[in-house]
């Protein structure tokens, strides 16, 4: 895999990701790599390209309602963990029953491809929750908004993304 400066290759990321990178002062620390789109899922990508699971970061979208109001959050956790949806995310969103946002909605509302949703360029109405352990990843491999590429960025930068809320124990 050859890493390229993400800001110089907007064709390798989804349009909302390119817009977010263009507006983010720390985007110079972000690289992009092309991958086989059939290997975009974390386990397949890790096995094929030799990326340790603990270097990957997954972004899952969760929603729930309280008093008729829907609350949505993108949760970024290390790939070797899972978001604690039933406890921590539920408490943070203050909802009765959180669940993963249906794929078609996540794709339509984010402007990104399924399997490539990333914490950059998400809708402003979504909260961005980042597990504190992601910040310790030297170079986190996350989606690019497209299945055919991945972003590489220091874990510490994930915690400095616009609207990021770093949470201890977001993942178990």
């Amino acid at each position: 895999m050859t890493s390229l400066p993400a800001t110089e290759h907007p064709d390798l990321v989804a349009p909302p990701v390119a817009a977010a990178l263009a507006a983010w002062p720390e985007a110079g620390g972000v690289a992009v790599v092309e991958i086989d789109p059939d290997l975009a899922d974390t386990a397949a990508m890790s096995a094929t390209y030799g990326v340790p699971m603990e270097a990957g970061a997954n972004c899952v979208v969760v929603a729930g309602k309280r008093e008729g109001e829907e609350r949505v959050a993108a949760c970024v956790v290390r790939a070797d963990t899972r978001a604690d949806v039933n406890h921590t995310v539920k408490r943070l969103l203050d909802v009765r029953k959180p669940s993963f946002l249906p794929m078609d909605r996540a794709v339509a509302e984010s402007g990104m491809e399924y399997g490539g949703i990333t914490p950059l360029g998400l809708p402003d109405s979504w909260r961005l929750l980042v597990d504190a352990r992601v910040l310790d990843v030297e170079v986190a491999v996350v989606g690019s908004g497209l299945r055919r590429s991945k972003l590489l960025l220091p874990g510490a930068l994930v915690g400095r993304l616009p609207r990021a809320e770093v949470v201890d124990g977001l993942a178990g």
Side-chain angles (χ1 to χ4, degrees):
M1 295 191 299
T2 302
S3 65
L4 305 166
T7 55
E8 296 176 20
H9 295 277
D11 56 308
L12 293 178
V13 301
V17 177
L21 286 167
W24 188 36
E26 300 198 59
V30 182
V32 65
V33 294
E34 285 190 82
I35 63 165
D36 181 334
D38 293 332
L39 302 171
D41 294 331
T42 305
M45 190 264 317
S46 290
T48 302
Y49 296 105
V51 176
M53 289 292 284
E54 59 272 10
N58 290 332
C59 183
V60 296
V61 185
V62 179
K65 287 187 178 180
R66 169 69 69 169
E67 299 172 1
E69 174 194 348
E70 183 179 53
R71 300 168 186 187
V72 180
C75 303
V76 182
V77 299
R78 276 191 353 207
D80 62 340
T81 66
R82 293 190 183 277
D84 182 6
V85 174
N86 293 321
H87 298 100
T88 307
V89 176
K90 177 181 177 179
R91 178 179 47 79
L92 289 167
L93 290 180
D94 189 26
V95 296
R96 293 177 199 261
K97 184 179 180 190
S99 58
F100 294 103
L101 198 66
M103 176 184 60
D104 57 339
R105 265 194 72 197
V107 168
E109 292 179 22
S110 70
M112 300 179 202
E113 296 176 355
Y114 181 73
I117 293 178
T118 190
L120 288 129
L122 295 171
D124 289 340
S125 61
W126 294 6
R127 287 177 69 183
L128 176 57
L129 307 176
V130 178
D131 185 74
R133 288 176 281 190
V134 172
L135 278 60
D136 295 330
V137 177
E138 185 177 341
V139 178
V141 179
V142 299
S144 68
L146 304 175
R147 290 185 62 85
R148 65 184 181 93
S149 60
K150 293 286 183 180
L151 295 177
L152 308 175
L153 66 159
L157 279 184
V158 178
R160 294 199 303 263
L161 287 168
R163 300 186 340 271
E165 301 172 48
V166 177
V167 179
D168 285 321
L170 181 63

